[in-house]
Amino acid sequence: MNPVLLKIIVLLGILIVVLTLASGLIWLERRLLALWQDRYGPNRVGPFGLLQVLADMIKIFFKEDWIPPFADKPVFVLAPAIIVITVLLTFAVVPFTPLVQIADTNIALLFFLGMSSLGVYSVVLGGWASNNKYSLLGGMRAASQMLSYEVFMGLAMMGTVMLAGSFSMRAIVEAQRHMWFVVPQFLGFVLFLIAGIAETRRLPFDLPEAESELVAGFHSEYSGMKFGMFFVGEYLGVILISVLLSVLYFGGWQGPFLPPIVWIVLKTLFFICFFILLRAAMPRPRFDQLMSWGWKWMLPLSLLNLAVTGAVVLAMRR
Amino acid sequence: MWSILQSLWLVLLHMFQPRFTVQYPDEKPYLAPRYRGRIVLSRDPDGEERCVACYLCAVACPVDCISLQATEDPHGRRYPDWFRINFSRCIFCGLCEEACPTYAIQLTPDIEMGEYNRQNLVYEKENLLINGTGKYPDYSFWRVAGVRIKDKDKGQAENEAPPADLHALTP
Amino acid sequence: MEAIFYIAAIVAVLATVLTVTRLNPVHALLYLTVSLLAVAVVFYTLGAPFMAALEVVIYAGAIMVLFVFVVMLLNLGRHTVDLERSWLSPGAFVGPAILAAILVGEVSYLLARSGTLTPPVAEVGPHQVALALYGPYLLGVELASFLLLGALVGAYHVGSRRAQGRTTVGSRSDRTGLASGGDLVRTGADRPSGAA
């Protein structure tokens, strides 16, 4: 087949699947949370309540798309788009299977870091442009939290980069042929997981939108489809971190018997469910606890992980 | 750290526990006979209205949702000309039931009162009256209290005991 | 590839001009971010994807967010817009315009002499960058890390001294009856000029 056509099909396929999965996550999250809280969750609309997503989408499309008169209008409109764009762009470098990958660059991990650091703008600008003190507080929290945890995320990832000898995600997956990196890089995996939760602003680290303190944090003033974009952006982030966890530490598409696409989807779903379990079980820390924990524990631990991995890699090569 | 893992595990175990939710329209929850729901006006065993329009329920109501107008029949017996309960105000506290001297006003275990039009929640007397005695099947206020009829006062009719003297100290 | 280079370069120049002329500081910072992103694309087209990624991660992603953060905290209202407008008088542009004109002249002279752009060199990956940094430029890297460490210690020192002086600051604000933290979160368009 024509390679350009194939690439376009892959691109559209990833886009559609990821967006559908992101909206389906709304349903999955509500059902799973309900399951762990001894409830049912949405089960009325369609089979198992699956069409609840559709009903929610219809509702959110018909909501008044309100821009507050005191807001900074262009920035206010721009902010929710940034997060969706940056997260979707990151999916371009993720190798789902050997065939299903849009772009394989040798700076893929750096690209992911860059995009996630640009995603910070969405939250910060959304909070600032709303011109509301709760939004501003949420934006400030988001900025400091995401900037700090991005550092640890990058440092934690460098362990896998050292073992694989490349920034390319495909090379990293292929380097895990004999052993998943979760075994030699267990500390890195845990650090990446924690930083990933903080980076997607999921519970227990959802302090930027802590609804019991800050109304709804950075998106207090958002409604309608703009709020929907923040929402979808968050779920896209969850999917992205889950895919990356399985790619970097759990061998990506590799696994016995089943075809590669099934393996990557299974691993991703496992981590998505783990994210939801965290939400069901964890209380939210205080903000200063979050920050001091990050800088006083995560940073030394990730540096230690980096140094030890580097030393071991050097020793093995000798 | 250990406690975090422990709580994760415990929450995960809740997957295998039965769910508490009652799927309401499909399966109804159990409501006790004395559940405080929709208010009714009951009748005595003879089929007459129990209400004597004493206004005590309207006085007792903390949210002032009961209003009525007393009137008398040709025998001088009081009954409500109209009786109105605004259920959009009612808080179902049951104080009217406790205030009622004749067991006329009673709360029933019926909670399905949803309406699209708020005006439909104002119940008139014909909506409130039921054809039954409610929780007290044999009780008839007039048989206990006595009735004054055309020429005879309470206790003066045939085979009728004299009414209790309210000012006496002995029962 | 050359077309992408020129588009990115034009975007970078335009965004930088807009950065200078915007009255609202946050808008200016956003244009500066766009400019940095465009420079990242320029790096990529010139065969340095690693540099492009670092540009996005560090400059556009981290440093500019800190700038935005600080500007957000400063709570600049309409007062600042007026101030900026007064600064941006046409007279203020004379000096920079002359200097920029000299630069443009130099660049066009060089371009005219060498003909066209030199074709992009071979791609410089992370491997080469790492070898260069820890080979011939090791001393430079160490010096830069010393500088950063010094900045870190200095920042810590400034921060800890502020924490000790907190009691006096608090008592003073109590005496004057001003809510000391109030201005920090008041994002209303105008902050009283006396407080500014």
Side-chain angles (χ1 to χ4, degrees), chain A residues 35-36 38-40 43-44 277-278 280-282, chain B residues 4 7-8 11 14-15 17 19-21 23 26:
Chain A
L35 177 67
W36 287 318
D38 301 340
R39 302 182 283 120
Y40 281 97
N43 63 349
R44 294 275 149 188
L277 176 64
L278 277 177
M282 292 289 103
Chain B
I4 287 176
S7 71
L8 277 180
V11 170
H14 270 264
M15 220 167 6
Q17 296 201 349
R19 315 193 192 211
F20 280 100
T21 314
Q23 304 243 30
D26 302 336

Short mmCIF file of all heavy atoms in Angstrom, two decimals, chain A residues 35-36 38-40 43-44 277-278 280-282, chain B residues 4 7-8 11 14-15 17 19-21 23 26:
data_model
loop_
_atom_site.label_atom_id
_atom_site.label_comp_id
_atom_site.label_asym_id
_atom_site.label_seq_id
_atom_site.Cartn_x
_atom_site.Cartn_y
_atom_site.Cartn_z
N LEU A 35 -18.07 0.96 41.49
CA LEU A 35 -17.82 -0.43 41.87
C LEU A 35 -17.04 -0.48 43.18
O LEU A 35 -17.34 -1.26 44.07
CB LEU A 35 -17.04 -1.12 40.75
CG LEU A 35 -16.62 -2.56 40.99
CD1 LEU A 35 -17.85 -3.43 41.05
CD2 LEU A 35 -15.71 -3.04 39.90
N TRP A 36 -16.02 0.40 43.30
CA TRP A 36 -15.19 0.36 44.50
C TRP A 36 -15.84 1.08 45.67
O TRP A 36 -15.32 1.03 46.78
CB TRP A 36 -13.82 0.96 44.20
CG TRP A 36 -13.01 0.03 43.36
CD1 TRP A 36 -12.92 -1.30 43.53
CD2 TRP A 36 -12.20 0.34 42.23
NE1 TRP A 36 -12.11 -1.85 42.57
CE2 TRP A 36 -11.65 -0.86 41.77
CE3 TRP A 36 -11.89 1.52 41.57
CZ2 TRP A 36 -10.81 -0.92 40.67
CZ3 TRP A 36 -11.04 1.46 40.49
CH2 TRP A 36 -10.52 0.25 40.04
N ASP A 38 -19.13 0.51 46.27
CA ASP A 38 -20.35 -0.28 46.46
C ASP A 38 -21.58 0.41 45.91
O ASP A 38 -22.63 0.43 46.53
CB ASP A 38 -20.55 -0.60 47.95
CG ASP A 38 -19.38 -1.37 48.51
OD1 ASP A 38 -18.65 -1.96 47.70
OD2 ASP A 38 -19.20 -1.39 49.73
N ARG A 39 -21.43 1.03 44.75
CA ARG A 39 -22.58 1.64 44.08
C ARG A 39 -22.67 1.04 42.68
O ARG A 39 -21.94 0.13 42.34
CB ARG A 39 -22.41 3.16 43.96
CG ARG A 39 -22.22 3.87 45.24
CD ARG A 39 -22.10 5.37 45.01
NE ARG A 39 -20.81 5.75 44.50
CZ ARG A 39 -20.61 6.35 43.34
NH1 ARG A 39 -21.63 6.63 42.55
NH2 ARG A 39 -19.40 6.69 42.94
N TYR A 40 -23.57 1.59 41.84
CA TYR A 40 -23.69 1.11 40.47
C TYR A 40 -23.06 2.05 39.46
O TYR A 40 -22.51 1.61 38.46
CB TYR A 40 -25.15 0.89 40.09
CG TYR A 40 -25.72 -0.39 40.63
CD1 TYR A 40 -26.44 -0.40 41.81
CD2 TYR A 40 -25.52 -1.59 39.97
CE1 TYR A 40 -26.94 -1.57 42.32
CE2 TYR A 40 -26.02 -2.76 40.46
CZ TYR A 40 -26.74 -2.76 41.63
OH TYR A 40 -27.23 -3.92 42.12
N ASN A 43 -25.96 3.48 34.81
CA ASN A 43 -26.32 2.20 34.19
C ASN A 43 -27.68 2.27 33.53
O ASN A 43 -28.29 1.26 33.27
CB ASN A 43 -26.30 1.08 35.22
CG ASN A 43 -27.32 1.28 36.31
OD1 ASN A 43 -27.91 2.36 36.40
ND2 ASN A 43 -27.56 0.28 37.11
N ARG A 44 -28.18 3.48 33.25
CA ARG A 44 -29.54 3.59 32.71
C ARG A 44 -29.54 3.78 31.21
O ARG A 44 -30.40 3.26 30.52
CB ARG A 44 -30.25 4.79 33.35
CG ARG A 44 -30.49 4.62 34.82
CD ARG A 44 -31.77 3.85 35.05
NE ARG A 44 -31.67 3.08 36.27
CZ ARG A 44 -32.57 2.18 36.65
NH1 ARG A 44 -33.61 1.94 35.91
NH2 ARG A 44 -32.41 1.52 37.76
N LEU A 277 -8.31 3.62 40.49
CA LEU A 277 -8.27 3.06 41.85
C LEU A 277 -7.61 4.05 42.80
O LEU A 277 -8.07 4.23 43.94
CB LEU A 277 -7.49 1.74 41.83
CG LEU A 277 -7.28 1.09 43.19
CD1 LEU A 277 -8.62 0.69 43.76
CD2 LEU A 277 -6.39 -0.11 43.09
N LEU A 278 -6.57 4.72 42.33
CA LEU A 278 -5.93 5.73 43.17
C LEU A 278 -6.94 6.81 43.54
O LEU A 278 -6.98 7.27 44.67
CB LEU A 278 -4.77 6.38 42.41
CG LEU A 278 -3.45 5.65 42.42
CD1 LEU A 278 -2.48 6.41 41.57
CD2 LEU A 278 -2.93 5.56 43.83
N ALA A 280 -10.08 6.46 43.78
CA ALA A 280 -11.08 5.94 44.71
C ALA A 280 -10.54 5.82 46.12
O ALA A 280 -11.30 5.89 47.08
CB ALA A 280 -11.58 4.58 44.23
N ALA A 281 -9.21 5.64 46.25
CA ALA A 281 -8.69 5.26 47.57
C ALA A 281 -7.93 6.37 48.27
O ALA A 281 -7.82 6.33 49.49
CB ALA A 281 -7.77 4.04 47.42
N MET A 282 -7.39 7.34 47.54
CA MET A 282 -6.41 8.24 48.16
C MET A 282 -7.05 9.55 48.57
O MET A 282 -7.82 10.13 47.80
CB MET A 282 -5.29 8.55 47.16
CG MET A 282 -4.42 7.39 46.82
SD MET A 282 -3.37 6.94 48.18
CE MET A 282 -4.23 5.51 48.75
N ILE B 4 -0.71 3.40 52.56
CA ILE B 4 -1.28 3.75 51.25
C ILE B 4 -1.58 2.49 50.45
O ILE B 4 -2.67 2.31 49.92
CB ILE B 4 -0.31 4.67 50.49
CG1 ILE B 4 -0.31 6.06 51.12
CG2 ILE B 4 -0.70 4.76 49.03
CD1 ILE B 4 0.68 6.98 50.51
N SER B 7 -4.56 0.72 51.92
CA SER B 7 -5.88 1.27 51.60
C SER B 7 -6.21 1.02 50.13
O SER B 7 -7.37 0.78 49.80
CB SER B 7 -5.93 2.76 51.93
OG SER B 7 -5.16 3.48 51.02
N LEU B 8 -5.19 1.03 49.26
CA LEU B 8 -5.47 0.67 47.87
C LEU B 8 -6.03 -0.74 47.77
O LEU B 8 -7.01 -0.99 47.08
CB LEU B 8 -4.17 0.74 47.05
CG LEU B 8 -3.74 2.10 46.52
CD1 LEU B 8 -2.47 1.95 45.74
CD2 LEU B 8 -4.81 2.68 45.65
N VAL B 11 -9.62 -0.96 49.16
CA VAL B 11 -10.61 -0.40 48.24
C VAL B 11 -10.81 -1.36 47.07
O VAL B 11 -11.93 -1.56 46.60
CB VAL B 11 -10.16 0.99 47.76
CG1 VAL B 11 -11.03 1.47 46.63
CG2 VAL B 11 -10.22 1.97 48.89
N HIS B 14 -13.26 -4.06 47.63
CA HIS B 14 -14.68 -3.70 47.59
C HIS B 14 -15.34 -4.11 46.29
O HIS B 14 -16.56 -4.05 46.17
CB HIS B 14 -14.84 -2.20 47.80
CG HIS B 14 -14.99 -1.83 49.24
ND1 HIS B 14 -16.21 -1.64 49.84
CD2 HIS B 14 -14.08 -1.66 50.22
CE1 HIS B 14 -16.04 -1.35 51.11
NE2 HIS B 14 -14.76 -1.36 51.37
N MET B 15 -14.53 -4.49 45.31
CA MET B 15 -15.08 -4.97 44.05
C MET B 15 -16.01 -6.16 44.28
O MET B 15 -16.97 -6.36 43.56
CB MET B 15 -13.92 -5.40 43.16
CG MET B 15 -14.10 -5.03 41.76
SD MET B 15 -12.68 -5.15 40.71
CE MET B 15 -11.38 -5.86 41.59
N GLN B 17 -17.80 -6.87 46.96
CA GLN B 17 -18.84 -6.72 47.97
C GLN B 17 -20.15 -6.33 47.30
O GLN B 17 -20.15 -5.70 46.25
CB GLN B 17 -18.41 -5.66 48.98
CG GLN B 17 -17.17 -6.10 49.72
CD GLN B 17 -17.00 -5.39 51.02
OE1 GLN B 17 -17.68 -4.42 51.28
NE2 GLN B 17 -16.09 -5.87 51.83
N ARG B 19 -23.55 -4.36 46.43
CA ARG B 19 -23.73 -2.91 46.32
C ARG B 19 -24.91 -2.47 47.17
O ARG B 19 -25.87 -3.21 47.35
CB ARG B 19 -23.98 -2.53 44.87
CG ARG B 19 -23.02 -3.25 43.94
CD ARG B 19 -23.05 -2.64 42.60
NE ARG B 19 -22.36 -3.51 41.64
CZ ARG B 19 -21.70 -3.05 40.60
NH1 ARG B 19 -21.63 -1.78 40.37
NH2 ARG B 19 -21.12 -3.87 39.77
N PHE B 20 -24.78 -1.29 47.67
CA PHE B 20 -25.82 -0.79 48.56
C PHE B 20 -26.98 -0.15 47.82
O PHE B 20 -28.06 0.01 48.37
CB PHE B 20 -25.21 0.25 49.51
CG PHE B 20 -24.48 -0.37 50.65
CD1 PHE B 20 -23.10 -0.47 50.65
CD2 PHE B 20 -25.18 -0.87 51.73
CE1 PHE B 20 -22.43 -1.05 51.69
CE2 PHE B 20 -24.51 -1.45 52.79
CZ PHE B 20 -23.13 -1.54 52.77
N THR B 21 -26.74 0.23 46.58
CA THR B 21 -27.75 1.01 45.87
C THR B 21 -29.04 0.20 45.69
O THR B 21 -29.00 -0.98 45.36
CB THR B 21 -27.23 1.39 44.49
OG1 THR B 21 -25.90 1.87 44.64
CG2 THR B 21 -28.09 2.44 43.86
N GLN B 23 -32.08 0.03 43.25
CA GLN B 23 -32.36 0.55 41.91
C GLN B 23 -33.79 1.04 41.87
O GLN B 23 -34.69 0.33 41.43
CB GLN B 23 -32.14 -0.55 40.88
CG GLN B 23 -30.76 -1.11 40.98
CD GLN B 23 -29.99 -0.86 39.71
OE1 GLN B 23 -30.22 0.11 39.02
NE2 GLN B 23 -29.08 -1.74 39.39
N ASP B 26 -37.12 0.41 39.63
CA ASP B 26 -37.32 -1.02 39.40
C ASP B 26 -37.62 -1.76 40.70
O ASP B 26 -38.54 -2.57 40.76
CB ASP B 26 -36.07 -1.62 38.74
CG ASP B 26 -35.76 -0.94 37.43
OD1 ASP B 26 -36.70 -0.36 36.85
OD2 ASP B 26 -34.60 -0.96 37.00
#
